[in-house]
Amino acid sequence: MKVGIIGANGYSGAELIRILKQHPEVELSFLGSHSTSGTLITEQYPHLEGISECRLEEMNVDDILGRADLFFFATPSGVAKNHVHRFVDEEIPCIDLSGDHRLKDSRLYDKWYKYSSAPTSVLQKSTYGLPELFREDIKNATLIANPGCYPTATLIGLAPLLKNNLVHLNSIIIDGKSGVTGAGRKASMGTHYCEVNENVKAYKLGNHQHIPEMEQVIQTYTHSDATITFTPHLVPMSRGIMCTIYCDLAQSLSTKDALELYHEFYRKEYFVRIRQENQWPATKEVYSSNYCDLGIAVDERTNRITIVSVIDNVMKGASGQAVQNMNIINGWNEQTGLKITPVYP
Amino acid sequence: MKVGIIGANGYSGAELIRILKQHPEVELSFLGSHSTSGTLITEQYPHLEGISECRLEEMNVDDILGRADLFFFATPSGVAKNHVHRFVDEEIPCIDLSGDHRLKDSRLYDKWYKYSSAPTSVLQKSTYGLPELFREDIKNATLIANPGCYPTATLIGLAPLLKNNLVHLNSIIIDGKSGVTGAGRKASMGTHYCEVNENVKAYKLGNHQHIPEMEQVIQTYTHSDATITFTPHLVPMSRGIMCTIYCDLAQSLSTKDALELYHEFYRKEYFVRIRQENQWPATKEVYSSNYCDLGIAVDERTNRITIVSVIDNVMKGASGQAVQNMNIINGWNEQTGLKITPVYP
Amino acid sequence: MKVGIIGANGYSGAELIRILKQHPEVELSFLGSHSTSGTLITEQYPHLEGISECRLEEMNVDDILGRADLFFFATPSGVAKNHVHRFVDEEIPCIDLSGDHRLKDSRLYDKWYKYSSAPTSVLQKSTYGLPELFREDIKNATLIANPGCYPTATLIGLAPLLKNNLVHLNSIIIDGKSGVTGAGRKASMGTHYCEVNENVKAYKLGNHQHIPEMEQVIQTYTHSDATITFTPHLVPMSRGIMCTIYCDLAQSLSTKDALELYHEFYRKEYFVRIRQENQWPATKEVYSSNYCDLGIAVDERTNRITIVSVIDNVMKGASGQAVQNMNIINGWNEQTGLKITPVYP
Amino acid sequence: MKVGIIGANGYSGAELIRILKQHPEVELSFLGSHSTSGTLITEQYPHLEGISECRLEEMNVDDILGRADLFFFATPSGVAKNHVHRFVDEEIPCIDLSGDHRLKDSRLYDKWYKYSSAPTSVLQKSTYGLPELFREDIKNATLIANPGCYPTATLIGLAPLLKNNLVHLNSIIIDGKSGVTGAGRKASMGTHYCEVNENVKAYKLGNHQHIPEMEQVIQTYTHSDATITFTPHLVPMSRGIMCTIYCDLAQSLSTKDALELYHEFYRKEYFVRIRQENQWPATKEVYSSNYCDLGIAVDERTNRITIVSVIDNVMKGASGQAVQNMNIINGWNEQTGLKITPVYP
């Protein structure tokens, strides 16, 4: 099958190339990039020398519709919304790694993204591509809204509790810590080495666009409204996200009970791994892989549960999950091309 | 005035030397170290060449009582408790940077530190050395329990809210992020470069010894009990602590109101700086200095307040605060030797 | 084929597991570790959960001879020399990642390693496992001395010049920069995060044990003696080695000529990649892969050539090259299990 | 005395503010910045809150000539050359931290900087501000060309050998390793955290503009021509430069002899520290200070001497040295405001 990447010059694009070059079912037939069109991908990413000789091309929808059987949009938020409808009209499967098709209520785009949404009809057709929670929906989807990095770590961390009504929904507090790849490859003061190195910084308190995304999924999943607190932080590393999630328990539960519940819930999930009691996952333990690792603790003093959830934001938080979705859509083994051992240390 | 450092070979010890060599009122008369006694301090810390030519000496209480007019204990927790009573008996002022004299209830040492406490009579004599909260007590103290790094950042972040009964005490959640100096200079797998670099890790969930310390101070300060949640994380940097503090508001409050309250509360505090609305402090902005920088946000959606508090854990979280306490005890200007501009970047 | 790893608990051991679990021709049948025997590999390396369920075992030669058809020694230098002869006697192929079988002259071990060598007869049987230079010898070898990390980068960088007698052998100066994995997983002051982070340090000037190794290979390869200068440096990163190599040219040569020569020399080598004129490889561009990337510049002002050579020290500098050697010994495609795209960024 | 900083918004500018706010003889009377004029310095650098309340101003020469008694140009190369002559005409002392006034031969600017030089008459009036080598000239200077970071580390490392004709001048090879502050605060792909972190990269091989600067000083100092090799590398840290310098000895010399020579040569130099035999300076050991630390080794096998020289590039390599020059010009104690203990770790 031929696949194309639109926005191939960013970090998610490069990661898609890394995965797809080892994927037995697909062939890369199109790499699109507005800013670097005409150059070889190896001019942008010398590490791909000998691996991909593709040339980046200008993205003109009319020209590219026939170039692939499935497209990944690895563009910054605000781009895909203008183009995806054309692919949808032609029933060409698209997986949008940006935020443009995740929210169902178009007014939320005005509020949280500060721009107008994709056409409402397209929003309605999109399927939220978190396989561990919505696999059945994904199987029949044409347009996948690939989840945000923080929501992926958070929702996998929360799902067993949500499904069993074990926590007070309005008590959920998520403290996120992200590596710098989350900010994309574009040069800015905020990603300058000397501003990030030996530094931890909080940002977008109370107004990060992943808040409505998480609230929507919690609503879909529990059929109850939730208003959550989420604080993202930038930490001095390239890859990796940790979400430390705090919830008030709605009923008494021991750590052992909680661990059993999680093990049962994720029994068949290859990409979810659960640490033993008093063991905590570290972001490096999933580095370059598609795993989501979880650690769980109930504090009986406070009747609160804390979940520590880690992913590689470029993989399970973006490109790896996108390929997982592609596998599901096509009826392939979900792990195809994704059985990548974390690189450690 | 002659001052001595016991445990001069650790990071807090070296930082005390950095500060005290520029302090106009004191002279370093004794550097004690059990593990490296007999060596020059420059053999342990070549960066001190030309700055201090002292030799590290074995610490034998009988021999050293007369060697200084004030002693800093920069030893790991579990050491000072065995020696400080001798100094107290002689009315020689001591500032203990370890946790050994912070908790008033000796049973808490068995539970949280896993060892028996200092003599109860000595615990009762100690004063908790957080000047911004307890300056008057410190003025007359002989034995100072220098606060822990996480409690320093947290309690300065919380005090204006506590003083005004603005938050539900049992709702307090503290998500801490620390650089690796917090673990001391001793080599271990947990401080190995390759295990920490490009990694974030949670540790000691629900059982960190700073929990009872913070609860005790909140109790002292508000005369109400509090049971808090605290999760520390190790982030890949050497210095710096950020505490992100979440509380449910007990009454309605805007961010502007909160900022005004903080400005008023800390109006006379040189070492506390408050960011404007929507500005968040980063740990690097206090690097190598004695500042505690705060950012405040009220989220009206959730009726929760979030405080971001940063310090340099080796300075305001340890040695800088210890010198601040020394200045107060001696009636010197509190800023003496501590007007150090953060090194940036 | 069954393979065993002795010293599986170190970084090279863990990397061998990462590679071999994806290798279609082998099965891991034995993981030996003296210090952690009895534990699961996942207790030492949680990132391997779901990937390897092996238990580490005590290494007793009598017991393990029959446990595998080929053994990797991923032990620190000074261990393999005491055991390898037993395997050699039984004609069981061994690949020694340590330095114990690299030098042919046993007296060099006394001088540079400060311990006595493996039995001379065993030294004589060993083959230096640098495939790009000695592939034919490796094909028939039973005991492989896997090259050191610095020598791998250096010798691949130098070979085209050496083969064509283009440089003065005594003018060779190698400035090496290594990540911290090169120091192994053992905790020490020298690998403590805070001592390495935001720091560059030179070490072992003029007495690093890779000096005689490089001189021996140059001698073997050119049939002339060479006395070289080599200075290793520790840089704040986990993986990666760069060797910047300076040589006086023995005859006039342009950068273009040199590049052509290198392209021709390495035309068939999958794992060697050569940058275009004025492009310089960075260590991250080979991260987690088996590539050696080269950049070449002739400075006509000084009549000197500079070669910049980078590898991932844990892969091409250790475990990747060891697997490459295993592939050659067994007549498999040399790239089997090693077509790993660098992880970037 | 009133001093002004032109280009106050860059890293050297911010570092000048850090130093000068503690300097007893001066008052900051002007902060100029083209790109951020009109903003408070604390908007650009929140770490300066409570330390400097200055507002950045547009730089218009006519307006600012009277604003200070001495000016620092902390602008990128290519700016000062257009303005300094105005100050020179008015005999207002200037210290130019950029490269614009370092080379005496104006043609070298076309070749190495790729732009035309400052007026030749101004170049002739400038004095190379390396106090350890040219203190007497500096005393009477009005226009100081503050040395480059690599040349500072290199020339202090070489001077004792040069002065005593101990090395072959054409054999000098300098392998430089720099932190990222050397690239300035401007955002670019090359300073993006993810491109620098966990990475070492060589750049500008054979064509770095510090080559003619070093050659000129060697010529001035020895009255002989030298053609040198210099390769700079970017390493993943914010501050610090190490130059590893290799020279062929012109006569036999032991390491002990060399160390004695260096100790004698730098006997009176407060800012130069020399490590004992077999001890090597690390960049962190001079972090945030004005020291230059040296390690020396003679390799009798190769008859070569290696010098390891480290500085903090923002301090001794830029702003610290600039203040040192200001002190000399004004006849103040050279160490005024610069007795800053390195921050470690």
Side-chain angles (χ1 to χ4, degrees):
Chain A
M1 203 178 91
K2 289 188 295 178
V3 301
I5 302 172
I6 294 165
N9 190 43
Y11 289 142
S12 302
E15 190 76 342
L16 281 169
I17 296 172
R18 178 170 79 97
I19 305 169
L20 296 174
K21 289 305 278 189
Q22 307 275 353
H23 195 289
E25 307 286 351
V26 305
E27 176 199 348
L28 268 175
S29 60
F30 177 76
L31 298 185
S33 164
H34 179 63
S35 58
T36 57
S37 66
T39 66
L40 292 169
I41 186 68
T42 51
E43 293 176 66
Q44 307 304 324
Y45 287 108
H47 75 281
L48 291 175
E49 202 172 307
I51 293 158
S52 171
E53 306 305 327
C54 289
R55 197 171 285 279
L56 295 157
E57 302 180 48
E58 188 54 71
M59 183 213 146
N60 182 311
V61 177
D62 289 321
D63 296 344
I64 68 176
L65 279 173
R67 296 284 300 277
D69 304 312
L70 179 150
F71 285 90
F72 294 97
F73 276 80
T75 42
S77 285
V79 174
K81 66 170 182 143
N82 301 317
H83 304 295
V84 157
H85 67 96
R86 296 288 307 283
F87 297 78
V88 169
D89 288 349
E90 308 276 341
E91 300 195 343
I92 299 171
C94 285
I95 298 173
D96 180 10
L97 283 74
S98 86
D100 282 6
H101 295 90
R102 293 182 199 149
L103 304 180
K104 292 296 181 189
D105 181 344
S106 70
R107 292 165 304 179
L108 292 173
Y109 283 95
D110 299 303
K111 177 170 177 195
W112 295 90
Y113 282 86
K114 312 294 181 201
Y115 55 69
S116 61
S117 76
T120 315
S121 61
V122 180
L123 285 188
Q124 291 315 315
K125 279 186 187 138
S126 81
T127 300
Y128 193 73
L130 191 53
E132 285 76 10
L133 274 69
F134 304 109
R135 185 172 288 112
E136 291 309 309
D137 300 334
I138 297 167
K139 283 179 179 168
N140 305 304
T142 302
L143 169 55
I144 296 284
N146 212 56
C149 46
Y150 290 117
T152 295
T154 298
L155 295 165
I156 291 177
L158 279 174
L161 300 174
L162 298 176
K163 185 54 94 189
N164 293 282
N165 298 315
L166 290 170
V167 296
H168 292 296
L169 295 185
N170 285 338
S171 74
I172 300 172
I173 293 175
I174 301 130
D175 190 282
K177 295 105 184 152
S178 175
V180 188
T181 44
R185 201 185 197 192
K186 200 169 176 307
S188 73
M189 177 79 90
T191 57
H192 190 298
Y193 183 83
C194 301
E195 304 288 321
V196 174
N197 179 42
E198 190 72 8
N199 203 0
V200 174
K201 193 166 174 57
Y203 65 101
K204 281 197 175 186
L205 265 87
N207 56 40
H208 195 284
Q209 67 278 8
H210 288 169
I211 292 176
E213 181 179 337
M214 293 189 272
E215 290 179 349
Q216 174 184 287
V217 175
I218 294 172
Q219 210 281 338
T220 306
Y221 205 68
T222 64
H223 308 293
S224 304
D225 285 338
T227 310
I228 64 169
T229 290
F230 166 56
T231 306
H233 300 77
L234 193 65
V235 296
M237 60 186 190
S238 294
R239 285 174 179 246
I241 272 187
M242 175 180 286
C243 287
T244 311
I245 310 164
Y246 303 93
C247 316
D248 291 351
L249 285 167
Q251 60 180 80
S252 171
L253 194 75
S254 70
T255 298
K256 276 193 206 326
D257 293 341
L259 282 169
E260 244 173 65
L261 181 81
Y262 273 74
H263 274 290
E264 175 57 25
F265 190 91
Y266 286 125
R267 196 163 39 89
K268 296 183 180 170
E269 294 297 340
Y270 180 83
F271 293 119
V272 180
R273 305 188 297 189
I274 298 159
R275 290 288 182 284
Q276 296 181 346
E277 193 166 355
N278 283 320
Q279 301 293 319
W280 309 103
T283 57
K284 204 172 183 58
E285 292 163 7
V286 297
Y287 194 91
S288 86
S289 82
N290 202 48
Y291 290 108
C292 176
D293 285 6
L294 302 175
I296 319 285
V298 171
D299 185 351
E300 300 187 6
R301 297 171 69 251
T302 58
N303 200 33
R304 219 167 259 145
I305 189 167
T306 304
I307 305 106
V308 177
S309 177
V310 300
I311 58 170
D312 181 325
N313 59 312
V314 193
M315 285 291 291
K316 182 65 178 169
S319 305
Q321 187 146 265
V323 171
Q324 192 179 354
N325 281 314
M326 177 187 75
N327 290 341
I328 296 172
I329 290 175
N330 287 287
W332 302 328
N333 180 325
E334 195 171 322
Q335 302 156 22
T336 311
L338 292 171
K339 297 186 77 162
I340 297 170
T341 298
V343 177
Y344 192 95
Chain B
M1 203 178 92
K2 288 187 295 175
V3 301
I5 302 172
I6 294 164
N9 190 42
Y11 289 142
S12 302
E15 190 76 340
L16 281 170
I17 296 172
R18 179 169 79 97
I19 304 169
L20 296 174
K21 290 305 278 188
Q22 307 274 354
H23 195 290
E25 306 286 353
V26 306
E27 176 199 349
L28 267 175
S29 61
F30 177 77
L31 297 186
S33 164
H34 179 62
S35 59
T36 57
S37 67
T39 66
L40 291 169
I41 186 68
T42 51
E43 293 176 65
Q44 308 305 323
Y45 287 107
H47 76 281
L48 292 175
E49 202 171 307
I51 293 158
S52 171
E53 306 304 327
C54 289
R55 197 171 284 279
L56 294 157
E57 301 182 48
E58 189 54 72
M59 183 213 146
N60 183 312
V61 177
D62 289 321
D63 296 343
I64 69 178
L65 279 173
R67 296 284 300 277
D69 305 310
L70 179 150
F71 286 89
F72 294 98
F73 276 80
T75 42
S77 285
V79 174
K81 66 169 181 145
N82 301 318
H83 304 295
V84 158
H85 66 96
R86 297 286 310 281
F87 297 78
V88 168
D89 289 349
E90 307 276 340
E91 300 196 341
I92 299 170
C94 286
I95 297 174
D96 179 11
L97 283 75
S98 84
D100 282 6
H101 295 91
R102 295 182 198 148
L103 304 180
K104 291 296 182 191
D105 180 344
S106 69
R107 291 166 304 179
L108 292 173
Y109 282 95
D110 299 303
K111 177 169 177 196
W112 295 90
Y113 282 86
K114 312 292 181 203
Y115 55 69
S116 61
S117 77
T120 315
S121 61
V122 181
L123 285 189
Q124 291 315 315
K125 279 186 187 138
S126 80
T127 300
Y128 193 73
L130 191 53
E132 286 76 8
L133 274 69
F134 304 109
R135 183 171 290 112
E136 291 309 310
D137 301 335
I138 296 166
K139 284 179 180 169
N140 305 305
T142 301
L143 169 55
I144 297 284
N146 212 57
C149 45
Y150 289 117
T152 296
T154 298
L155 295 165
I156 291 177
L158 279 174
L161 300 174
L162 298 176
K163 185 55 92 189
N164 293 282
N165 298 314
L166 290 170
V167 296
H168 292 296
L169 295 185
N170 285 339
S171 76
I172 299 171
I173 294 175
I174 301 130
D175 190 281
K177 296 105 184 151
S178 175
V180 187
T181 42
R185 201 184 197 191
K186 199 168 177 306
S188 73
M189 177 77 91
T191 57
H192 191 299
Y193 183 84
C194 301
E195 305 289 320
V196 175
N197 178 43
E198 190 71 10
N199 203 0
V200 174
K201 192 164 174 59
Y203 64 100
K204 281 198 174 186
L205 266 86
N207 56 41
H208 194 285
Q209 68 277 10
H210 288 169
I211 291 175
E213 181 178 337
M214 293 189 272
E215 289 179 349
Q216 173 184 288
V217 175
I218 294 171
Q219 211 281 337
T220 307
Y221 204 66
T222 65
H223 308 294
S224 305
D225 286 337
T227 309
I228 63 169
T229 290
F230 166 56
T231 306
H233 301 77
L234 193 66
V235 295
M237 61 187 190
S238 293
R239 284 173 181 248
I241 272 187
M242 176 180 285
C243 287
T244 312
I245 310 165
Y246 304 93
C247 314
D248 291 351
L249 285 167
Q251 59 180 82
S252 172
L253 194 74
S254 70
T255 298
K256 274 193 209 323
D257 293 341
L259 282 169
E260 245 174 66
L261 181 81
Y262 273 75
H263 274 290
E264 176 56 25
F265 191 91
Y266 286 125
R267 197 165 38 91
K268 296 184 181 170
E269 294 296 340
Y270 180 82
F271 293 119
V272 180
R273 306 187 297 189
I274 299 160
R275 290 287 182 285
Q276 295 181 345
E277 192 166 356
N278 283 320
Q279 301 293 320
W280 309 103
T283 57
K284 204 172 183 57
E285 292 162 7
V286 297
Y287 195 91
S288 86
S289 82
N290 201 49
Y291 290 109
C292 176
D293 284 7
L294 302 174
I296 320 284
V298 171
D299 185 352
E300 299 186 8
R301 297 171 68 250
T302 58
N303 201 33
R304 219 167 259 144
I305 189 168
T306 304
I307 305 105
V308 177
S309 177
V310 300
I311 57 171
D312 181 324
N313 59 312
V314 193
M315 285 290 292
K316 184 64 178 167
S319 306
Q321 187 147 264
V323 172
Q324 192 180 353
N325 282 314
M326 177 187 74
N327 290 341
I328 295 172
I329 290 176
N330 287 287
W332 303 327
N333 181 325
E334 194 170 323
Q335 303 156 22
T336 311
L338 293 171
K339 297 186 78 163
I340 297 170
T341 299
V343 177
Y344 191 96
Chain C
M1 203 177 92
K2 290 188 293 178
V3 300
I5 302 173
I6 294 165
N9 190 44
Y11 289 142
S12 302
E15 190 76 343
L16 281 170
I17 296 172
R18 179 170 79 97
I19 304 169
L20 295 174
K21 290 304 279 188
Q22 307 275 355
H23 195 290
E25 307 286 352
V26 305
E27 176 199 348
L28 267 176
S29 60
F30 177 77
L31 296 186
S33 164
H34 179 63
S35 58
T36 58
S37 65
T39 66
L40 292 169
I41 185 68
T42 52
E43 293 176 64
Q44 308 305 323
Y45 287 107
H47 76 281
L48 291 176
E49 202 172 307
I51 293 158
S52 170
E53 305 305 326
C54 290
R55 197 171 284 280
L56 294 157
E57 302 181 47
E58 188 55 70
M59 183 212 147
N60 181 313
V61 178
D62 289 321
D63 296 344
I64 69 177
L65 280 173
R67 296 284 299 278
D69 304 311
L70 179 150
F71 286 89
F72 293 98
F73 275 80
T75 42
S77 286
V79 174
K81 66 170 183 143
N82 301 317
H83 304 295
V84 158
H85 66 96
R86 296 288 307 281
F87 297 78
V88 168
D89 289 348
E90 307 277 339
E91 298 195 343
I92 299 171
C94 286
I95 298 174
D96 179 11
L97 282 74
S98 84
D100 283 6
H101 296 90
R102 294 182 197 147
L103 304 180
K104 292 296 181 189
D105 179 344
S106 69
R107 291 165 304 179
L108 292 173
Y109 283 95
D110 299 303
K111 177 169 178 197
W112 295 90
Y113 282 85
K114 312 294 181 201
Y115 54 69
S116 61
S117 77
T120 315
S121 61
V122 180
L123 286 189
Q124 291 315 316
K125 277 184 187 141
S126 80
T127 300
Y128 193 74
L130 190 54
E132 286 76 9
L133 275 69
F134 303 110
R135 185 171 288 112
E136 291 310 309
D137 300 335
I138 296 167
K139 285 179 178 168
N140 305 306
T142 302
L143 169 56
I144 297 284
N146 212 55
C149 47
Y150 289 118
T152 296
T154 299
L155 294 166
I156 291 176
L158 278 175
L161 300 174
L162 298 177
K163 185 55 93 189
N164 292 282
N165 298 313
L166 290 170
V167 295
H168 292 296
L169 296 185
N170 285 339
S171 75
I172 300 171
I173 293 174
I174 301 131
D175 190 281
K177 296 105 183 153
S178 175
V180 187
T181 43
R185 201 184 198 193
K186 200 167 177 307
S188 73
M189 177 77 91
T191 58
H192 190 298
Y193 183 83
C194 302
E195 305 288 321
V196 174
N197 178 43
E198 190 71 10
N199 203 0
V200 175
K201 194 165 172 59
Y203 65 100
K204 281 199 174 185
L205 265 87
N207 56 41
H208 194 285
Q209 68 277 9
H210 287 170
I211 292 175
E213 181 179 337
M214 293 189 272
E215 289 178 349
Q216 173 184 289
V217 175
I218 294 172
Q219 209 280 337
T220 306
Y221 204 66
T222 64
H223 309 294
S224 305
D225 286 338
T227 309
I228 64 169
T229 290
F230 166 56
T231 306
H233 300 78
L234 194 66
V235 295
M237 60 185 191
S238 294
R239 284 172 180 249
I241 274 187
M242 176 181 285
C243 287
T244 312
I245 310 165
Y246 303 94
C247 316
D248 291 351
L249 285 169
Q251 58 180 81
S252 172
L253 194 75
S254 70
T255 298
K256 275 192 207 326
D257 293 341
L259 282 169
E260 245 175 66
L261 181 82
Y262 273 75
H263 274 291
E264 175 58 26
F265 190 92
Y266 285 125
R267 197 163 38 89
K268 297 184 179 168
E269 295 296 340
Y270 180 83
F271 293 118
V272 180
R273 304 188 298 189
I274 299 160
R275 290 287 182 286
Q276 295 180 345
E277 192 166 354
N278 283 320
Q279 301 294 319
W280 309 103
T283 57
K284 205 171 181 57
E285 291 162 7
V286 297
Y287 194 90
S288 87
S289 82
N290 202 48
Y291 290 109
C292 176
D293 285 6
L294 302 175
I296 319 284
V298 171
D299 185 351
E300 299 187 7
R301 296 171 69 252
T302 58
N303 201 34
R304 219 168 258 146
I305 190 167
T306 304
I307 304 106
V308 177
S309 177
V310 300
I311 58 171
D312 181 324
N313 58 311
V314 192
M315 284 291 293
K316 183 65 179 169
S319 305
Q321 186 147 268
V323 171
Q324 191 179 355
N325 282 314
M326 177 187 74
N327 289 341
I328 295 172
I329 290 175
N330 287 287
W332 302 328
N333 181 324
E334 193 170 323
Q335 302 156 22
T336 311
L338 293 172
K339 296 186 78 164
I340 297 170
T341 299
V343 177
Y344 191 95
Chain D
M1 202 176 93
K2 289 187 295 176
V3 301
I5 302 173
I6 294 165
N9 190 42
Y11 288 141
S12 302
E15 190 76 341
L16 280 170
I17 295 172
R18 179 169 79 96
I19 304 169
L20 296 173
K21 289 304 278 188
Q22 306 275 355
H23 195 291
E25 307 286 352
V26 305
E27 176 199 349
L28 267 174
S29 60
F30 177 77
L31 298 185
S33 163
H34 180 63
S35 58
T36 58
S37 66
T39 67
L40 292 169
I41 186 68
T42 52
E43 292 176 65
Q44 308 305 323
Y45 288 106
H47 76 281
L48 291 175
E49 203 172 307
I51 293 158
S52 170
E53 306 305 326
C54 289
R55 197 171 284 279
L56 295 157
E57 301 181 47
E58 188 55 70
M59 182 214 147
N60 182 311
V61 177
D62 289 321
D63 295 344
I64 68 177
L65 279 173
R67 296 283 300 277
D69 305 310
L70 178 150
F71 286 90
F72 294 97
F73 276 81
T75 42
S77 286
V79 174
K81 67 172 182 141
N82 301 316
H83 304 295
V84 158
H85 66 97
R86 295 287 309 280
F87 296 78
V88 168
D89 288 349
E90 307 277 339
E91 299 197 341
I92 299 170
C94 286
I95 298 174
D96 179 11
L97 282 75
S98 84
D100 282 7
H101 296 91
R102 294 183 198 146
L103 304 180
K104 291 296 181 189
D105 180 346
S106 69
R107 292 166 303 180
L108 292 173
Y109 283 94
D110 299 303
K111 177 170 179 196
W112 294 90
Y113 282 85
K114 312 293 182 203
Y115 55 69
S116 60
S117 77
T120 314
S121 61
V122 180
L123 286 188
Q124 291 315 315
K125 279 188 187 136
S126 81
T127 300
Y128 193 74
L130 190 54
E132 286 75 9
L133 275 70
F134 304 109
R135 184 172 288 113
E136 291 309 309
D137 300 334
I138 297 166
K139 284 179 179 169
N140 304 305
T142 302
L143 169 55
I144 297 284
N146 212 55
C149 47
Y150 289 118
T152 296
T154 298
L155 294 166
I156 291 177
L158 279 174
L161 299 174
L162 298 176
K163 186 54 93 189
N164 293 282
N165 298 314
L166 289 170
V167 296
H168 292 297
L169 295 184
N170 285 338
S171 74
I172 300 171
I173 293 174
I174 301 132
D175 191 281
K177 296 106 183 151
S178 175
V180 187
T181 43
R185 201 184 197 192
K186 200 169 177 307
S188 72
M189 177 77 90
T191 58
H192 190 299
Y193 183 83
C194 301
E195 305 288 321
V196 175
N197 177 42
E198 190 71 11
N199 203 0
V200 175
K201 193 165 172 58
Y203 64 101
K204 282 200 173 183
L205 266 86
N207 56 41
H208 194 284
Q209 68 277 10
H210 287 170
I211 292 174
E213 181 178 337
M214 293 189 272
E215 289 178 350
Q216 174 184 289
V217 175
I218 294 172
Q219 210 280 338
T220 306
Y221 204 67
T222 64
H223 308 294
S224 304
D225 286 337
T227 310
I228 63 168
T229 290
F230 166 56
T231 306
H233 301 77
L234 194 65
V235 295
M237 61 186 190
S238 293
R239 283 172 181 249
I241 274 188
M242 175 181 286
C243 287
T244 311
I245 310 164
Y246 303 93
C247 316
D248 292 351
L249 284 169
Q251 58 180 82
S252 171
L253 194 73
S254 69
T255 298
K256 275 192 207 324
D257 293 341
L259 281 169
E260 243 173 68
L261 181 80
Y262 273 74
H263 274 291
E264 175 57 25
F265 191 91
Y266 285 125
R267 197 163 38 89
K268 297 183 181 171
E269 294 296 340
Y270 179 83
F271 294 118
V272 180
R273 305 188 296 189
I274 299 160
R275 291 287 182 285
Q276 294 180 346
E277 192 165 357
N278 283 321
Q279 301 293 320
W280 309 103
T283 57
K284 204 172 183 56
E285 291 162 6
V286 297
Y287 194 90
S288 87
S289 82
N290 203 47
Y291 290 109
C292 176
D293 285 6
L294 302 175
I296 319 284
V298 171
D299 185 352
E300 298 187 8
R301 296 171 67 253
T302 58
N303 200 35
R304 220 168 258 146
I305 189 167
T306 304
I307 304 106
V308 177
S309 177
V310 300
I311 58 171
D312 181 323
N313 58 311
V314 192
M315 284 291 291
K316 183 65 179 169
S319 305
Q321 186 146 266
V323 172
Q324 192 179 353
N325 282 313
M326 177 188 74
N327 289 342
I328 295 172
I329 290 175
N330 287 288
W332 301 329
N333 181 325
E334 194 170 324
Q335 303 157 21
T336 311
L338 293 172
K339 296 186 79 162
I340 297 170
T341 299
V343 177
Y344 191 95

